[in-house]
Amino acid sequence: MNPDNPFYGLVCPILTPFDENGQIDPSAARKLVDFLVEQEVDGLMPGGTTGEGMLLTIEERKRLAEIVVEQAAGRTKVIVHTGCISTAETVELSVHARQVGADAVSVITPYFYAINDEALFKHYLAVAEAVPDTPISLYCYPDNAKQMISTELVCRLRRAAPNILAIKFSSVDLIQFQEYIAAGGEGFHALCGVDAIALSARAAGACGQVSGNANVFPQPFRKLYAAFSRGDLLEARHQQAVINHIRAVLKDDIAYFKAALVYRGIPVGNPRPPIPSITRSQMEELGPKIQALELLSDPQKGERSSVKGG
């Protein structure tokens, strides 16, 4: 893969650590960045869905982007999520991301209101023109953000804005995923946002996986991509099975991701309300399940991860 392309490999939508007062905890954020860099993730995405970006103020999102870019220090790519409900705020965050040195931005469709293709086109074009030298990934999450990005819109945006280089699709619809790849044409990249289909999406043409579970256990995703790249489908399937066990334990849930990081020595606090934290009894049940995964001490590269009962 092209090392200058920020939209590839394992991209971790990094969690946002909060302190006891519910404010961003810079020290914990820096520690989490270092952990993920040491685990050799290919990119970090602050302010996304997993990072509770929609629950942060504009100033908090700027501060978070600054912390992650500064701490990453060029050791891995940083793709700042800048999507907001309004075009003006999305442009403001995108310009800020460029100014602080982010490698790229990811922009979810404006949420809550129903918006037609013409309005979405104008929204994304305004962002692209505001940061013409910054690579942009569209971000389509129809279940949460309400909007669907059509293949026709992808084609139109690709013609109008050369810095729109990718799309992140958080859906199990692999047919639509492949249609995005075809619509984008040469030089267009597709990122999968659903861990349950990481291998299937890779086989369908994904160049990267954006994984919330990778905040806690990045290695199975890296091993899946490495195995697929060398043609070892058996190993790739095994790593997808490992990922599925992780998903069963962490429930694809922000509160569980945050709780599980305690077992990696990186406390990041609780989610911001109204997202609920896990209960004390759930935390007590989580520990043995994490231990049973046998992934806390990462095996040497190339060695299979083991999953109890898997």
Side-chain angles (χ1 to χ4, degrees), residues 85-256:
I85 196 170
S86 75
T87 301
E89 289 173 320
T90 305
V91 167
E92 181 181 347
L93 285 177
S94 299
V95 170
H96 175 266
R98 179 197 62 194
Q99 291 172 340
V100 301
D103 296 285
V105 298
S106 173
V107 183
I108 199 166
T109 54
Y111 29 90
F112 188 78
Y113 295 104
I115 302 172
N116 62 29
D117 268 15
E118 182 60 27
L120 281 176
F121 174 79
K122 291 178 180 178
H123 172 78
Y124 278 115
L125 188 62
V127 177
E129 290 179 342
V131 288
D133 299 323
T134 300
I136 294 173
S137 173
L138 310 174
Y139 179 6
C140 183
Y141 193 177
D143 286 349
N144 280 29
K146 190 172 184 176
Q147 318 299 337
M148 188 68 183
I149 295 177
S150 69
T151 51
E152 292 78 14
L153 179 59
V154 170
C155 290
R156 190 178 175 195
L157 285 169
R158 285 283 285 158
R159 290 194 297 269
N163 55 327
I164 293 178
L165 300 178
I167 186 167
K168 176 195 172 189
F169 190 37
S170 292
S171 168
V172 296
D173 188 348
L174 284 171
I175 295 175
Q176 182 65 52
F177 190 84
Q178 293 174 90
E179 289 179 352
Y180 282 144
I181 294 171
E186 185 177 356
F188 190 68
H189 313 285
L191 300 163
C192 176
V194 181
D195 290 349
I197 59 168
L199 177 55
S200 299
R202 183 72 180 95
C207 64
Q209 184 70 26
V210 184
S211 167
N213 289 283
N215 276 279
V216 188
F217 296 116
Q219 286 302 320
F221 295 92
R222 294 196 67 252
K223 291 179 179 179
L224 185 153
Y225 263 61
F228 187 90
S229 296
R230 66 176 181 266
D232 188 348
L233 188 56
L234 183 63
E235 176 63 13
R237 287 172 176 164
H238 170 75
Q239 294 302 331
Q240 181 67 68
V242 173
I243 290 166
N244 292 343
H245 280 80
I246 292 169
R247 292 182 56 248
V249 171
L250 302 185
K251 304 182 186 297
D252 287 326
D253 187 287
I254 294 168
Y256 275 84

Side-chain angles (χ1 to χ4, degrees), residues 278-286:
I278 71 170
T279 66
R280 179 174 295 181
S281 63
Q282 288 171 328
M283 188 67 176
E284 290 172 352
E285 293 171 357
L286 180 61

Side-chain angles (χ1 to χ4, degrees), residues 17-80:
F18 295 118
D19 62 22
E20 294 178 353
N21 298 315
Q23 302 304 306
I24 292 176
D25 184 338
S27 177
R30 293 180 186 280
K31 188 173 183 179
L32 182 55
V33 169
D34 286 343
F35 165 72
L36 293 169
V37 169
E38 289 164 4
Q39 294 289 311
E40 300 181 318
V41 301
D42 297 294
L44 298 172
M45 184 183 289
T49 305
T50 301
E52 302 171 72
M54 292 73 177
L55 296 178
L56 303 177
T57 68
I58 295 299
E59 291 309 311
E60 284 177 322
R61 290 177 70 170
K62 288 180 179 179
R63 180 60 180 138
L64 182 65
E66 291 165 6
I67 291 169
V68 173
V69 170
E70 180 182 293
Q71 193 66 23
R75 295 177 293 167
T76 191
K77 303 290 186 182
V78 178
I79 304 166
V80 178

